Amino acid sequence: MLLHLGVVWRLNEMGLLETLTRISSVSGGSLLNGRLAVAWNQLRFGPGGAPNFKAEVADPILNLAQQRVDLPAILLGLVPFVGGGNIAAGFYKRYLVGDVLLKDLPARPRFVFNAAHLPTATSWRFSQPYMACYRLGLVHKPAVPLAVAVAASAAFPPFLSPVTLHLNPDDFCTDPPCRKGADLFDRRDLRSTVPLSDGGVYDNLGLQTLDDFKEVLVSDAGGGLQVSAGPFAWWHVQMRRVLDSAVEQGRALRRNRLIDEFNSGAKRGTLWRTRSDITDRTKWSAEPPFPVHRDWPFFLFSIRTRLNPFTEFERSSLVNWGYLVADTAIRSFYLKDHPPPIALPCAGYDFASPPPGCVCVQELALTLPSPRGRGFIDPSPLPGVRGKALEAQALAFASALASARPNRSSRNCRLASSRSTSWRCRSCAISSSFVSSRSSCALSSCRGV
């Protein structure tokens, strides 16, 4: 939500926001999409974007980010016939979208809120002209509260899911074009009770509704799975990892397909992620407009995605990072001649210095005894070693670090909301972020010498 707010903030300043014809969202992105949809007709677009964007869009989102939503929703959701998703919808109604119905949204751009239809394991789309599941058919001009659509799209399972719609089966369109492909249209029970879950369960990037578009800008606030050493002997830990791996595979497949379409010329646009290293000149042709310490993407990725109060530092950093990474990606691949911004939206929160609490990545010159008793482990960075090559070797140095047993009070790097360490080993060129010092070694060849 907050990262996407920074993205849309920059799109507004670049004059791109008002040119969009469809805005598709899943999960936390639907909270921002809902507020943007409600405020759209009040935005006064001009040469430099809408000057009232902050008041109409940003301030309500920042206000919601200071509220505790998830815990009350989960606890009250335990009451029979209440449901956590319905409680969350009440928060969204109060803080973001009011009493607006889907059918009352602007016709252009089309705002699409993607949810997952649990009975058919397919997508359920909410929008102004219709809501639909391709196997059941569609309902024209749905009189569904926007708050409910947002809650369904962001119904994180199992705590806020399912959000159940109770519909009149006769409201579904019966014309042959509407029923094309709807092999379950005759199932009135499925059309009367519609249990929905988070849109990310089926399409984690909200891309399916954009298949026919030739130009797309994609913001992925999920950075992917972290390296984990378990313990996977516990069934619940193992099952969660399996489910997360399945979701990550689906996300990676859609992301790779999109990148292939960019490279082939079938589509034009760009994709950015929370963990995008915009300091890597081999991937991004545009220089970041402001100094960026390379450990910020991993730090920001570690910040929780819960709907509970975020500190001013967390809110401002996530918004500024979304703003910055979107700007760099767009100027690298989409609008290469566009001038860079002159200031970040949240003043006083830049990325020139290392993330707080992480002094052991580049700035701290530590030497630790080698596990083999000779040489030293040097955590200073190696030039030119980046990306997946670093992550693939991350567990190796974690093992060396564990063997060395450093003083926890001074040499253990603790990142916000993470029981993790960030180190670099000169001998095997690893760079490790968010790897527990108790992890086992993945590379027998690494001895930290």
Side-chain angles (χ1 to χ4, degrees):
M1 176 179 70
L2 291 170
L3 183 104
H4 297 312
L5 173 59
V7 168
V8 176
W9 206 319
R10 184 56 182 148
L11 293 180
N12 176 56
E13 292 181 354
M14 299 179 85
L16 291 173
L17 184 59
E18 63 177 322
T19 68
L20 301 180
T21 57
R22 184 171 298 185
I23 306 176
S24 174
S25 63
V26 300
S27 201
S30 289
L31 277 63
L32 172 64
N33 202 17
R35 181 59 206 175
L36 186 62
V38 169
W40 188 264
N41 289 334
Q42 282 70 51
L43 295 177
R44 302 189 300 271
F45 289 108
N52 60 336
F53 174 86
K54 182 178 183 299
E56 295 292 342
V57 179
D59 287 346
I61 293 292
L62 293 172
N63 183 33
L64 178 67
Q66 301 176 61
Q67 312 304 319
R68 188 175 300 279
V69 177
D70 56 356
L71 188 58
I74 292 170
L75 294 178
L76 293 176
L78 297 176
V79 178
F81 310 110
V82 176
N86 295 327
I87 302 298
F91 278 96
Y92 305 150
K93 175 181 176 180
R94 176 180 179 182
Y95 290 102
L96 292 181
V97 301
D99 295 315
V100 175
L101 303 179
L102 281 171
K103 65 184 182 68
D104 298 326
L105 294 181
R108 183 184 175 90
R110 180 181 297 182
F111 295 91
V112 181
F113 305 87
N114 299 277
H117 185 238
L118 293 176
T120 60
T122 57
S123 176
W124 181 281
R125 296 179 191 170
F126 293 98
S127 63
Q128 185 266 350
Y130 65 84
M131 64 179 180
C133 166
Y134 79 89
R135 299 194 65 185
L136 297 178
L138 61 85
V139 178
H140 286 298
K141 298 289 184 179
V144 173
L146 177 58
V148 173
V150 170
S153 183
F156 186 82
F159 307 108
L160 303 179
S161 172
V163 172
T164 302
L165 305 181
H166 299 283
L167 306 177
N168 182 355
D170 295 329
D171 289 340
F172 280 72
C173 177
T174 58
D175 296 339
C178 300
R179 297 179 56 177
K180 182 179 180 181
D183 58 312
L184 298 176
F185 181 83
D186 294 332
R187 291 285 302 273
R188 291 180 63 88
D189 58 326
L190 295 181
R191 289 189 284 129
S192 61
T193 303
V194 181
L196 303 172
S197 189
D198 193 299
V201 172
Y202 181 77
D203 179 4
N204 203 270
L205 295 176
L207 286 175
Q208 192 174 64
T209 184
L210 304 177
D211 281 346
D212 295 334
F213 282 71
K214 298 302 181 183
E215 297 190 12
V216 293
L217 302 174
V218 181
S219 179
D220 180 7
L225 288 180
Q226 302 175 8
V227 176
S228 174
F232 297 118
W234 297 101
W235 288 2
H236 69 285
V237 175
Q238 182 183 154
M239 287 306 301
R240 178 172 180 179
R241 190 66 175 181
V242 169
L243 293 173
D244 288 344
S245 299
V247 171
E248 177 60 21
Q249 182 202 36
R251 177 188 292 163
L253 289 173
R254 291 186 183 275
R255 188 167 56 237
N256 292 339
R257 175 190 172 190
L258 180 66
I259 293 174
D260 288 342
E261 290 176 327
F262 286 152
N263 291 335
S264 68
K267 288 186 186 295
R268 179 172 176 264
T270 184
L271 160 73
W272 55 84
R273 308 173 65 192
T274 308
R275 288 178 61 177
S276 293
D277 182 7
I278 56 176
T279 66
D280 187 350
R281 298 273 63 78
T282 64
K283 296 181 179 179
W284 311 89
S285 61
E287 187 78 20
F290 310 106
V292 176
H293 190 281
R294 60 177 298 177
D295 292 307
W296 273 101
F298 295 97
F299 175 83
L300 293 169
F301 169 61
S302 75
I303 296 179
R304 68 202 179 282
T305 55
R306 288 180 53 185
L307 292 171
N308 64 355
F310 284 70
T311 65
E312 181 180 357
F313 166 76
E314 291 170 331
R315 297 193 305 270
S316 300
S317 297
L318 286 169
V319 170
N320 282 354
W321 184 250
Y323 181 96
L324 190 59
V325 72
D327 171 80
T328 304
I330 291 171
R331 290 190 297 110
S332 293
F333 299 104
Y334 190 64
L335 297 178
K336 296 185 177 182
D337 296 327
H338 198 283
I342 59 175
L344 292 168
C346 300
Y349 296 92
D350 58 38
F351 306 102
S353 302
C358 188
V359 296
C360 54
V361 176
Q362 290 190 359
E363 277 61 36
L364 186 60
L366 288 178
T367 56
L368 302 174
S370 166
R372 297 201 319 191
R374 60 186 179 84
F376 290 89
I377 299 173
D378 184 356
S380 59
L382 284 179
V385 182
R386 299 173 179 269
K388 293 183 179 179
L390 299 176
E391 296 181 30
Q393 302 180 67
L395 286 178
F397 187 60
S399 176
L401 183 64
S403 301
R405 287 187 173 86
N407 184 311
R408 289 181 178 270
S409 63
S410 62
R411 292 176 178 173
N412 225 16
C413 173
R414 298 292 179 181
L415 301 184
S417 305
S418 175
R419 297 180 179 179
S420 310
T421 56
S422 244
W423 301 86
R424 281 170 177 73
C425 173
R426 185 173 299 280
S427 64
C428 62
I430 65 169
S431 172
S432 164
S433 288
F434 314 124
V435 178
S436 170
S437 61
R438 291 179 291 180
S439 301
S440 59
C441 184
L443 296 177
S444 58
S445 61
C446 174
R447 293 294 184 268
V449 178

